[in-house]
Structure formats: C-alpha cells, structure tokens
C-alpha cells in the first residue's frame, strides 16, 4: 500500500546514547533515514561536515532561519542546532520514515507543526549513568558536563509531553523497542493511501 513517511523524533539528554541507539536502529531498519542537523558548534573528535552535522557559522545559520529553511531550530548550550527542511520533506513525500535526533525544545516545535509525528524520549537508567557516560566520552570539559547534566534535568520535566519513553539500559534492547514503535506507527491509516488500496483490492 502506498504511504507517506512518518516523522520520528528521538530526544533525550546529551550522553543518553541517542546516536548509538539510532545507529543500531538503522542497521536493523536500513530504509530509515536519519536527518543531518545544522549546528554552529565546532566539530568534536572525528566528526565530519555533512555526515555528523552541517557545521555552519552563526551568519550562515541565521540565513537559514531567515529563509525558512529549517523545520525547527533551538539554542542548545549557547549554540544553534536545527533541522534542514528540504531533505526531510523530500524523504517523507517518497514514503520514507525520517528520524530526527534533536533536543526537547525542537521536538515540541515539530509536534506543533506536524501533530502526526511521533515523539520518543530516550533516557539513561539514572543520573549517575549519564554522568559516567559524559565523563567517559571525554569530549567535554568539567563545566560543560555540569551544564549538560542540569540541562538534562530541565529536559526531563517535559517527558509527559512525549508519546513514548524508552530507557536506554542496553543499546540493542532500546533500539529494538524503538524499532517496534516505528513499525506500529507505520500501520496508522492516516499515513496510508487507504482509499486507493480499497478501490483496487476491495471493489
Ligand atoms: P551535541 O552537541 O551533543 O551533538 O548535541 C547537543 C544537543 O543538541 C543534543 O541534545 C542533540 O539532540 C541536540 N540537537 C542535535 N541536532 C539538533 C537539531 O537539529 N535541533 C535541535 N533542536 N536539537 C538538536
């Protein structure tokens, strides 16, 4: 049956393992597209332009805002982050599901614009787990880690506005749960061309 794609937002504190879980999810479901965000933060470690993020200057980012070329954007820890609109809309119109790995401010903006989107909150099992993961990652200063932990506490207050909550205890298990959500959401009649299916197969 023909369908339009579904927009799936995965939010969760920095260090909650969104990237690792999304990687496992796309390995299992290769038709899923993960949107590449734009940001004004500097590349970290081996991150590459166009693959991990589009690394932009503040001027370039503000031009994208002015041109309405972002589906959503937010200021996170003093840097801009946003979702380029065009590739997302193109993939959805060809029936592919698109994953956005974005913060809670962005997730709630997307829900306002696309009420049919699916909001999934990925949470580490505890604050201690999150702190340990951020420290082990070794890419942030002690001050940045503190900022990210207190930002996480603020984000957690919005959990009830999300459609699903997944605890990231084990990566494979979290990816399996999100895969099950994606599969179930694809069965919603609102996304499917039910009329032409019935016309062709049930006349
Ligand atoms: P990081 O700097 O660790 O890659 O990301 C910091 C935070 O920004 C994470 O919570 C991440 O989900 C969020 N983020 C990444 N891309 C986007 C985006 O396009 N829009 C919004 N609103 N948040 C984003």
């Amino acid at each position: 049956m023909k369908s339009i794609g579904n927009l799936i937002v995965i939010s969760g504190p920095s260090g909650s393992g969104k990237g690792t879980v999304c990687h496992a999810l796309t390995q299992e479901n290769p038709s899923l597209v993960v949107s590449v965000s734009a940001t004004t933060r500097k590349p970290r470690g081996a991150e590459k332009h166009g693959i991990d993020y589009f690394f932009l200057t503040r001027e370039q980012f503000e031009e994208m805002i002015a041109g309405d070329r972002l589906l959503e954007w937010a200021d996170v820890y003093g840097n801009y982050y946003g979702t380029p609109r065009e590739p997302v809309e193109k993939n959805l119109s060809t029936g592919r599901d698109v994953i956005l790995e974005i913060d809670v401010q962005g997730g709630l903006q997307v829900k306002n614009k696309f009420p049919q989107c699916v909001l999934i909150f990925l949470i580490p099992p505890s604050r201690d787990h999150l702190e340990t993961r951020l420290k082990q990652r070794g890419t942030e200063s002690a001050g940045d880690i503190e900022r990210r932990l207190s930002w996480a506490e603020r984000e957690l207050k919005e959990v009830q506005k999300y459609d699903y909550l997944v605890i990231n205890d084990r990566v494979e298990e979290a990816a399996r749960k999100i895969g099950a959500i994606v599969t179930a959401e694809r069965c919603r009649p609102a996304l499917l061309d039910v009329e032409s299916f019935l016309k062709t197969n049930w006349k």
Side-chain angles (χ1 to χ4, degrees):
M1 203 186 307
K2 263 179 70 182
S3 69
I4 52 164
N6 209 357
L7 194 51
I8 297 139
V9 173
I10 303 183
S11 298
S14 173
S16 60
K18 292 189 293 283
T20 319
V21 169
C22 280
H23 181 71
L25 180 68
T26 50
Q27 294 289 103
E28 283 297 309
N29 306 270
S31 65
L32 290 175
V33 178
V34 181
S35 157
V36 179
S37 295
T39 183
T40 57
R41 89 147 158 75
K42 297 275 168 281
R44 217 165 39 203
E47 284 181 336
K48 288 207 170 58
H49 180 79
I51 293 177
D52 300 287
Y53 279 106
F54 294 104
F55 294 101
L56 306 181
T57 61
R58 288 188 83 83
E59 292 69 30
Q60 288 170 323
F61 197 99
E62 282 163 3
E63 267 171 34
M64 290 194 78
I65 299 174
D68 197 24
R69 286 160 54 211
L70 296 172
L71 208 59
E72 60 72 39
W73 64 273
D75 185 319
V76 188
Y77 328 119
N79 280 307
Y80 286 137
Y81 291 80
T83 304
R85 176 191 296 281
E86 200 194 324
V88 172
E89 291 184 343
K90 216 183 234 169
N91 279 305
L92 291 178
S93 69
T94 58
R96 298 189 73 176
D97 287 347
V98 179
I99 307 271
L100 309 183
E101 269 178 59
I102 62 177
D103 85 326
V104 169
Q105 305 173 71
L108 297 177
Q109 285 177 50
V110 173
K111 192 70 171 178
N112 266 334
K113 288 188 193 156
F114 298 88
Q116 77 280 16
C117 79
V118 186
L119 298 187
I120 303 174
F121 201 103
L122 185 70
I123 188 176
S126 69
R127 190 187 191 278
D128 284 352
H129 270 85
L130 181 59
E131 190 169 354
T132 306
R133 274 192 206 159
L134 285 170
K135 283 182 178 158
Q136 279 171 350
R137 193 156 83 175
T139 46
E140 273 92 15
S141 66
D144 279 341
I145 291 178
E146 259 326 297
R147 237 186 320 280
R148 282 170 190 250
L149 285 169
S150 61
W151 194 279
E153 278 162 14
R154 234 173 305 152
E155 286 201 316
L156 285 170
K157 298 205 173 94
E158 310 284 3
V159 167
Q160 299 290 358
K161 296 182 182 153
Y162 272 60
D163 301 306
Y164 296 95
L165 175 66
V166 173
I167 299 170
N168 186 15
D169 219 336
R170 287 189 28 244
V171 171
E172 297 71 27
E173 181 70 5
R176 201 183 51 75
K177 284 183 182 164
I178 295 177
I181 295 167
V182 170
T183 305
E185 292 288 337
R186 272 202 86 83
C187 298
R188 287 194 186 274
L191 293 180
L192 303 170
D193 189 354
V194 179
E195 211 172 299
S196 54
F197 171 78
L198 293 178
K199 227 183 253 168
T200 317
N201 299 290
W202 288 86
K203 54 183 176 201

Coordinates of all heavy atoms in Angstrom, one line a residue, residues 73-152:
W73 N 14.4 24.8 15.0 CA 15.8 25.1 15.5 C 15.7 25.5 16.9 O 14.7 25.9 17.5 CB 16.4 26.2 14.6 CG 15.8 27.5 14.7 CD1 14.7 28.0 13.9 CD2 16.1 28.6 15.5 NE1 14.4 29.2 14.2 CE2 15.2 29.7 15.2 CE3 17.0 28.8 16.5 CZ2 15.2 30.9 15.9 CZ3 17.0 30.0 17.2 CH2 16.1 31.1 16.9
A74 N 16.9 25.4 17.6 CA 16.9 25.8 19.0 C 18.3 26.2 19.4 O 19.3 25.9 18.7 CB 16.5 24.6 19.9
D75 N 18.4 27.0 20.5 CA 19.7 27.4 21.0 C 19.9 26.4 22.2 O 19.2 26.3 23.1 CB 19.6 28.8 21.6 CG 20.9 29.3 22.1 OD1 21.7 28.5 22.7 OD2 21.2 30.5 21.8
V76 N 21.0 25.5 22.0 CA 21.3 24.5 23.0 C 22.7 24.8 23.5 O 23.6 24.8 22.7 CB 21.2 23.1 22.4 CG1 21.4 22.0 23.5 CG2 20.0 22.8 21.6
Y77 N 22.8 25.0 24.8 CA 24.1 25.3 25.4 C 24.8 26.4 24.7 O 26.1 26.4 24.5 CB 25.1 24.1 25.5 CG 24.5 22.8 25.7 CD1 24.7 21.8 24.7 CD2 23.8 22.4 26.8 CE1 24.2 20.5 24.8 CE2 23.2 21.2 26.9 CZ 23.4 20.2 26.0 OH 22.9 19.0 26.1
G78 N 24.1 27.4 24.2 CA 24.8 28.6 23.6 C 25.1 28.4 22.1 O 25.7 29.3 21.5
N79 N 24.8 27.3 21.5 CA 25.0 27.1 20.1 C 23.6 26.8 19.4 O 22.7 26.3 20.0 CB 25.9 25.9 19.8 CG 27.3 26.2 20.0 OD1 27.8 27.1 19.4 ND2 28.0 25.4 20.8
Y80 N 23.6 27.2 18.1 CA 22.3 26.9 17.4 C 22.4 25.5 16.8 O 23.5 25.0 16.4 CB 22.2 27.8 16.1 CG 21.9 29.2 16.3 CD1 22.6 30.2 15.6 CD2 20.8 29.6 17.1 CE1 22.3 31.5 15.7 CE2 20.5 31.0 17.2 CZ 21.2 31.9 16.5 OH 20.9 33.2 16.6
Y81 N 21.2 24.8 16.9 CA 21.1 23.5 16.2 C 19.7 23.5 15.5 O 18.8 24.1 16.0 CB 21.0 22.4 17.3 CG 22.2 22.1 18.1 CD1 22.6 22.9 19.1 CD2 23.0 21.0 17.7 CE1 23.7 22.6 19.9 CE2 24.2 20.7 18.4 CZ 24.5 21.5 19.5 OH 25.7 21.2 20.2
G82 N 19.7 23.0 14.3 CA 18.4 23.0 13.6 C 18.3 21.9 12.5 O 19.4 21.3 12.1
T83 N 17.1 21.6 12.1 CA 16.9 20.5 11.1 C 16.6 21.1 9.7 O 15.6 21.8 9.5 CB 15.6 19.7 11.5 OG1 15.8 19.2 12.8 CG2 15.4 18.6 10.5
P84 N 17.5 20.9 8.7 CA 17.2 21.4 7.4 C 15.9 20.8 6.8 O 15.7 19.6 6.9 CB 18.4 20.9 6.6 CG 19.5 20.7 7.6 CD 18.8 20.2 8.8
R85 N 15.0 21.7 6.3 CA 13.7 21.3 6.0 C 13.6 20.4 4.7 O 12.9 19.4 4.7 CB 12.9 22.6 5.7 CG 11.5 22.4 5.2 CD 10.9 23.7 4.8 NE 10.8 24.6 5.8 CZ 9.8 24.6 6.8 NH1 8.8 23.7 6.7 NH2 9.7 25.5 7.7
E86 N 14.4 20.8 3.7 CA 14.2 20.2 2.3 C 14.4 18.7 2.3 O 13.5 18.0 1.8 CB 15.1 20.9 1.3 CG 14.6 20.7 -0.1 CD 15.6 21.1 -1.1 OE1 16.4 22.1 -0.9 OE2 15.7 20.4 -2.1
P87 N 15.5 18.2 2.8 CA 15.7 16.7 2.7 C 14.6 15.9 3.5 O 14.2 14.9 3.1 CB 17.1 16.5 3.3 CG 17.6 17.8 3.8 CD 16.7 18.8 3.4
V88 N 14.2 16.5 4.6 CA 13.1 15.8 5.4 C 11.9 15.7 4.6 O 11.3 14.6 4.4 CB 12.9 16.5 6.8 CG1 11.7 15.9 7.5 CG2 14.1 16.5 7.6
E89 N 11.4 16.8 4.0 CA 10.2 16.9 3.3 C 10.2 15.9 2.1 O 9.3 15.2 1.7 CB 9.8 18.3 2.9 CG 9.4 19.1 4.2 CD 8.9 20.5 3.9 OE1 9.2 21.0 2.8 OE2 8.3 21.0 4.9
K90 N 11.4 15.9 1.4 CA 11.6 15.1 0.2 C 11.4 13.6 0.6 O 10.7 12.9 0.0 CB 13.0 15.3 -0.4 CG 13.0 15.3 -1.9 CD 14.4 15.5 -2.4 CE 14.5 16.6 -3.4 NZ 15.9 17.0 -3.7
N91 N 12.1 13.2 1.7 CA 12.1 11.8 2.1 C 10.7 11.4 2.5 O 10.2 10.3 2.2 CB 13.1 11.5 3.2 CG 14.5 11.3 2.6 OD1 14.7 10.4 1.8 ND2 15.4 12.1 3.1
L92 N 10.0 12.2 3.3 CA 8.6 11.9 3.7 C 7.7 11.7 2.5 O 6.9 10.8 2.5 CB 8.1 13.0 4.6 CG 8.7 13.2 6.0 CD1 8.1 14.3 6.8 CD2 8.6 11.9 6.8
S93 N 7.9 12.6 1.5 CA 6.9 12.6 0.4 C 7.1 11.3 -0.5 O 6.2 10.9 -1.2 CB 7.0 13.8 -0.5 OG 8.3 13.8 -1.1
T94 N 8.4 10.7 -0.4 CA 8.6 9.4 -1.1 C 8.3 8.2 -0.2 O 8.7 7.1 -0.6 CB 10.0 9.4 -1.7 OG1 10.9 9.5 -0.6 CG2 10.3 10.5 -2.7
G95 N 7.7 8.4 0.9 CA 7.3 7.3 1.8 C 8.3 6.8 2.8 O 8.1 5.8 3.4
R96 N 9.4 7.5 2.9 CA 10.4 7.0 3.8 C 10.2 7.6 5.2 O 9.9 8.8 5.3 CB 11.8 7.3 3.3 CG 12.1 6.6 2.0 CD 13.5 6.7 1.6 NE 14.4 5.9 2.4 CZ 15.7 5.7 2.1 NH1 16.2 6.4 1.1 NH2 16.4 5.0 2.9
D97 N 10.4 6.9 6.2 CA 10.4 7.4 7.6 C 11.7 8.1 7.9 O 12.8 7.7 7.5 CB 10.2 6.2 8.6 CG 8.8 5.6 8.6 OD1 7.9 6.2 8.0 OD2 8.6 4.5 9.1
V98 N 11.5 9.3 8.6 CA 12.7 10.1 8.9 C 12.9 10.2 10.4 O 11.9 10.5 11.1 CB 12.6 11.5 8.2 CG1 13.8 12.3 8.6 CG2 12.4 11.4 6.7
I99 N 14.1 10.0 10.9 CA 14.4 10.1 12.3 C 15.1 11.5 12.5 O 16.1 11.8 11.9 CB 15.4 9.0 12.8 CG1 14.9 7.6 12.4 CG2 15.7 9.2 14.2 CD1 14.0 7.0 13.4
L100 N 14.6 12.2 13.5 CA 15.3 13.4 13.9 C 15.8 13.2 15.4 O 15.1 12.9 16.3 CB 14.3 14.6 14.0 CG 13.4 15.0 12.8 CD1 12.6 16.2 13.1 CD2 14.3 15.2 11.6
E101 N 17.1 13.4 15.5 CA 17.8 13.2 16.9 C 17.9 14.6 17.4 O 19.0 15.3 17.1 CB 19.2 12.7 16.7 CG 19.3 11.2 16.7 CD 20.8 10.9 16.5 OE1 21.7 11.4 17.3 OE2 21.1 10.2 15.5
I102 N 17.0 15.1 18.1 CA 17.0 16.6 18.4 C 16.6 16.8 19.9 O 16.1 15.9 20.5 CB 16.1 17.4 17.5 CG1 14.6 17.0 17.6 CG2 16.6 17.3 16.1 CD1 13.7 17.9 16.8
D103 N 16.8 18.0 20.4 CA 16.5 18.2 21.8 C 15.0 18.4 22.0 O 14.2 18.5 21.0 CB 17.4 19.4 22.4 CG 16.7 20.7 22.1 OD1 16.1 20.9 21.0 OD2 16.8 21.6 23.0
V104 N 14.6 18.6 23.3 CA 13.2 18.6 23.6 C 12.5 19.9 23.0 O 11.4 19.9 22.5 CB 13.0 18.6 25.1 CG1 11.6 18.9 25.5 CG2 13.4 17.2 25.6
Q105 N 13.3 21.1 23.1 CA 12.7 22.3 22.5 C 12.3 22.1 21.0 O 11.2 22.4 20.6 CB 13.7 23.4 22.5 CG 14.3 23.8 23.8 CD 15.4 24.8 23.6 OE1 15.1 26.0 23.2 NE2 16.7 24.4 23.7
G106 N 13.2 21.4 20.3 CA 13.0 21.1 18.9 C 11.9 20.1 18.7 O 11.0 20.3 17.8
G107 N 11.9 19.1 19.5 CA 10.8 18.1 19.4 C 9.4 18.6 19.6 O 8.5 18.3 18.8
L108 N 9.3 19.6 20.6 CA 8.0 20.1 20.8 C 7.6 21.1 19.6 O 6.4 21.1 19.3 CB 7.9 20.8 22.2 CG 8.1 19.9 23.3 CD1 8.1 20.6 24.7 CD2 7.1 18.7 23.4
Q109 N 8.5 21.7 19.0 CA 8.2 22.6 17.9 C 7.7 21.7 16.7 O 6.8 22.1 16.0 CB 9.5 23.3 17.3 CG 9.9 24.5 18.2 CD 11.2 25.0 17.6 OE1 11.3 25.3 16.4 NE2 12.2 25.2 18.4
V110 N 8.4 20.5 16.5 CA 8.0 19.6 15.4 C 6.6 19.1 15.7 O 5.7 19.1 14.8 CB 9.0 18.5 15.3 CG1 8.5 17.4 14.3 CG2 10.4 19.0 14.9
K111 N 6.3 18.8 16.9 CA 4.9 18.3 17.3 C 3.8 19.4 16.9 O 2.7 19.0 16.5 CB 4.8 17.9 18.7 CG 3.6 17.1 19.1 CD 3.6 15.7 18.6 CE 2.6 14.8 19.1 NZ 2.7 13.5 18.5
N112 N 4.2 20.6 17.2 CA 3.2 21.7 16.8 C 3.0 21.8 15.3 O 1.8 22.0 14.9 CB 3.8 23.1 17.3 CG 3.3 23.4 18.7 OD1 2.2 22.9 19.1 ND2 4.1 24.2 19.4
K113 N 4.0 21.6 14.6 CA 3.9 21.8 13.1 C 3.3 20.5 12.5 O 2.6 20.6 11.5 CB 5.3 22.1 12.5 CG 5.7 23.5 12.7 CD 7.0 23.8 11.9 CE 7.6 25.1 12.5 NZ 9.0 25.2 12.1
F114 N 3.7 19.3 13.0 CA 3.3 18.0 12.4 C 2.7 17.2 13.6 O 3.4 16.3 14.1 CB 4.5 17.2 11.8 CG 5.2 17.9 10.7 CD1 6.2 18.8 10.9 CD2 4.8 17.7 9.4 CE1 6.9 19.4 9.9 CE2 5.5 18.3 8.3 CZ 6.5 19.2 8.6
P115 N 1.4 17.4 13.9 CA 0.9 16.7 15.1 C 0.9 15.2 14.9 O 0.9 14.5 15.9 CB -0.6 17.2 15.1 CG -0.6 18.5 14.3 CD 0.5 18.4 13.3
Q116 N 1.0 14.7 13.7 CA 1.0 13.2 13.5 C 2.4 12.6 13.8 O 2.6 11.4 13.7 CB 0.5 12.9 12.1 CG 1.5 13.1 11.0 CD 1.6 14.5 10.5 OE1 1.1 15.4 11.2 NE2 2.2 14.7 9.3
C117 N 3.4 13.5 14.0 CA 4.8 12.9 14.2 C 4.8 12.1 15.6 O 3.9 12.2 16.4 CB 5.8 14.1 14.3 SG 5.9 15.0 15.8
V118 N 5.9 11.4 15.7 CA 6.0 10.5 16.9 C 7.1 11.0 17.8 O 8.3 11.1 17.3 CB 6.2 9.0 16.5 CG1 6.2 8.1 17.7 CG2 5.2 8.6 15.5
L119 N 6.9 11.3 19.0 CA 7.9 11.8 19.9 C 8.4 10.7 20.9 O 7.6 10.2 21.6 CB 7.5 13.0 20.8 CG 7.0 14.3 20.1 CD1 6.7 15.4 21.1 CD2 8.1 14.8 19.1
I120 N 9.7 10.3 20.8 CA 10.2 9.3 21.6 C 11.3 9.9 22.5 O 12.2 10.5 22.0 CB 10.8 8.1 20.8 CG1 9.8 7.6 19.8 CG2 11.4 7.0 21.7 CD1 10.3 6.5 18.9
F121 N 11.2 9.7 23.8 CA 12.2 10.2 24.8 C 13.1 9.0 25.2 O 12.6 8.0 25.7 CB 11.4 10.8 26.0 CG 12.3 11.8 26.7 CD1 12.1 13.2 26.6 CD2 13.3 11.3 27.6 CE1 12.9 14.1 27.3 CE2 14.1 12.2 28.3 CZ 13.9 13.6 28.1
L122 N 14.4 9.2 25.0 CA 15.3 8.1 25.4 C 16.0 8.6 26.6 O 16.6 9.7 26.6 CB 16.3 7.9 24.2 CG 17.3 6.8 24.4 CD1 16.6 5.5 24.3 CD2 18.4 6.9 23.3
I123 N 16.0 7.8 27.6 CA 16.5 8.3 28.9 C 17.5 7.3 29.5 O 17.3 6.0 29.4 CB 15.3 8.5 29.9 CG1 15.8 9.1 31.2 CG2 14.6 7.2 30.2 CD1 14.6 9.4 32.1
P124 N 18.7 7.7 30.0 CA 19.6 6.8 30.6 C 19.0 6.2 31.9 O 18.1 6.9 32.5 CB 20.8 7.6 30.9 CG 20.6 9.0 30.4 CD 19.1 9.1 30.1
P125 N 19.4 5.1 32.4 CA 18.8 4.5 33.6 C 18.9 5.3 34.8 O 18.0 5.2 35.7 CB 19.5 3.2 33.8 CG 20.4 3.0 32.6 CD 20.5 4.2 31.8
S126 N 19.9 6.2 34.9 CA 20.0 7.1 36.1 C 20.9 8.3 35.8 O 21.6 8.3 34.8 CB 20.6 6.3 37.3 OG 21.9 6.0 37.0
R127 N 20.8 9.2 36.8 CA 21.7 10.4 36.6 C 23.2 10.0 36.7 O 24.0 10.5 35.9 CB 21.4 11.4 37.7 CG 22.1 12.8 37.6 CD 21.9 13.6 38.8 NE 22.3 15.0 38.5 CZ 23.5 15.5 38.6 NH1 24.5 14.6 38.8 NH2 23.8 16.7 38.3
D128 N 23.5 9.0 37.5 CA 24.9 8.5 37.6 C 25.4 7.9 36.3 O 26.5 8.2 35.9 CB 25.0 7.4 38.7 CG 24.9 8.1 40.1 OD1 25.0 9.3 40.2 OD2 24.9 7.3 41.1
H129 N 24.5 7.2 35.7 CA 24.8 6.6 34.4 C 25.2 7.7 33.4 O 26.2 7.6 32.7 CB 23.7 5.8 33.8 CG 23.6 4.4 34.1 ND1 23.0 3.9 35.3 CD2 24.1 3.3 33.5 CE1 23.1 2.6 35.4 NE2 23.7 2.2 34.3
L130 N 24.3 8.7 33.4 CA 24.5 9.8 32.4 C 25.9 10.5 32.7 O 26.7 10.8 31.8 CB 23.4 10.8 32.5 CG 23.5 12.0 31.5 CD1 23.5 11.5 30.1 CD2 22.3 13.0 31.7
E131 N 26.1 10.8 34.0 CA 27.4 11.5 34.4 C 28.6 10.7 33.9 O 29.5 11.2 33.3 CB 27.4 11.8 35.9 CG 28.5 12.7 36.3 CD 28.4 13.2 37.7 OE1 27.3 12.9 38.4 OE2 29.3 13.8 38.2
T132 N 28.5 9.3 34.2 CA 29.6 8.5 33.8 C 29.8 8.5 32.3 O 31.0 8.6 31.8 CB 29.3 7.0 34.3 OG1 29.0 7.1 35.7 CG2 30.5 6.1 34.1
R133 N 28.7 8.4 31.5 CA 28.9 8.4 30.1 C 29.5 9.6 29.6 O 30.3 9.6 28.7 CB 27.5 8.2 29.4 CG 27.1 6.8 29.3 CD 25.9 6.6 28.4 NE 25.1 5.4 28.8 CZ 23.9 5.2 28.5 NH1 23.2 6.1 27.9 NH2 23.3 4.1 28.9
L134 N 29.0 10.8 30.1 CA 29.6 12.1 29.7 C 31.1 12.1 30.0 O 31.9 12.6 29.2 CB 28.8 13.2 30.3 CG 27.4 13.5 29.7 CD1 26.7 14.5 30.6 CD2 27.5 14.0 28.3
K135 N 31.5 11.6 31.2 CA 32.9 11.7 31.5 C 33.7 10.7 30.6 O 34.8 11.1 30.2 CB 33.1 11.3 33.0 CG 32.7 12.4 33.9 CD 32.9 12.1 35.4 CE 32.5 13.3 36.3 NZ 32.2 12.9 37.7
Q136 N 33.1 9.5 30.4 CA 33.9 8.5 29.6 C 34.1 9.0 28.2 O 35.1 8.7 27.5 CB 33.1 7.2 29.6 CG 33.4 6.4 30.8 CD 32.5 5.1 30.9 OE1 31.6 5.0 30.1 NE2 32.8 4.3 31.8
R137 N 33.1 9.8 27.6 CA 33.2 10.3 26.3 C 34.4 11.2 26.1 O 35.0 11.2 25.1 CB 31.9 11.1 26.0 CG 31.6 11.4 24.6 CD 30.2 11.6 24.3 NE 29.7 13.0 24.6 CZ 28.5 13.5 24.3 NH1 27.6 12.7 23.8 NH2 28.2 14.7 24.6
G138 N 34.7 11.9 27.2 CA 36.0 12.6 27.2 C 36.1 13.8 26.2 O 37.2 14.2 25.9
T139 N 34.9 14.3 25.8 CA 35.0 15.3 24.8 C 34.5 16.7 25.3 O 34.6 17.7 24.7 CB 34.0 15.0 23.5 OG1 32.8 14.5 24.0 CG2 34.7 14.0 22.7
E140 N 34.0 16.7 26.6 CA 33.6 17.9 27.2 C 34.4 18.3 28.5 O 34.9 17.4 29.1 CB 32.1 17.8 27.6 CG 31.1 18.2 26.5 CD 30.7 17.0 25.7 OE1 31.0 15.8 26.2 OE2 30.2 17.1 24.6
S141 N 34.5 19.6 28.7 CA 35.2 20.0 30.0 C 34.3 19.7 31.1 O 33.1 19.4 31.0 CB 35.5 21.5 29.9 OG 34.2 22.2 29.9
A142 N 34.8 19.8 32.4 CA 34.0 19.6 33.6 C 32.8 20.5 33.6 O 31.7 20.1 34.0 CB 34.9 19.7 34.8
G143 N 33.1 21.8 33.2 CA 32.0 22.8 33.2 C 30.9 22.4 32.2 O 29.7 22.5 32.5
D144 N 31.3 21.9 31.0 CA 30.3 21.5 30.0 C 29.5 20.3 30.5 O 28.3 20.2 30.3 CB 31.0 21.1 28.7 CG 31.4 22.3 27.9 OD1 30.8 23.3 28.1 OD2 32.3 22.1 27.0
I145 N 30.2 19.4 31.2 CA 29.4 18.2 31.7 C 28.4 18.7 32.7 O 27.2 18.2 32.7 CB 30.4 17.2 32.4 CG1 31.3 16.6 31.2 CG2 29.7 16.1 33.2 CD1 32.3 15.6 31.7
E146 N 28.8 19.6 33.6 CA 27.8 20.1 34.6 C 26.6 20.8 33.9 O 25.4 20.6 34.3 CB 28.5 21.2 35.5 CG 28.9 20.6 36.9 CD 27.9 19.6 37.5 OE1 26.8 19.9 37.8 OE2 28.3 18.4 37.7
R147 N 26.9 21.6 32.9 CA 25.9 22.3 32.1 C 24.9 21.2 31.5 O 23.7 21.4 31.5 CB 26.5 23.1 31.0 CG 26.1 24.6 31.1 CD 26.6 25.4 30.0 NE 27.9 25.2 29.5 CZ 29.1 25.6 30.1 NH1 29.0 26.3 31.1 NH2 30.2 25.3 29.6
R148 N 25.5 20.2 30.9 CA 24.7 19.2 30.2 C 23.8 18.4 31.2 O 22.7 18.0 30.9 CB 25.6 18.2 29.4 CG 26.0 18.9 28.1 CD 27.0 18.2 27.3 NE 27.5 19.1 26.2 CZ 27.3 18.9 24.9 NH1 26.6 17.8 24.5 NH2 27.7 19.7 24.0
L149 N 24.4 18.2 32.4 CA 23.6 17.5 33.5 C 22.4 18.3 33.9 O 21.3 17.8 34.1 CB 24.4 17.1 34.6 CG 25.4 15.9 34.4 CD1 26.4 15.8 35.5 CD2 24.6 14.6 34.2
S150 N 22.6 19.6 34.1 CA 21.5 20.4 34.6 C 20.5 20.7 33.4 O 19.3 20.7 33.7 CB 21.9 21.7 35.2 OG 22.6 22.5 34.3
W151 N 21.0 20.7 32.2 CA 20.1 20.8 31.0 C 19.2 19.5 31.0 O 18.0 19.6 30.7 CB 20.9 20.9 29.8 CG 20.1 21.3 28.6 CD1 19.4 20.5 27.8 CD2 20.0 22.7 28.0 NE1 18.8 21.3 26.7 CE2 19.2 22.6 26.9 CE3 20.6 23.9 28.3 CZ2 18.9 23.7 26.1 CZ3 20.2 25.0 27.5 CH2 19.4 24.9 26.4
A152 N 19.8 18.4 31.3 CA 19.1 17.1 31.2 C 18.0 17.1 32.2 O 16.8 16.7 32.0 CB 20.1 15.9 31.6

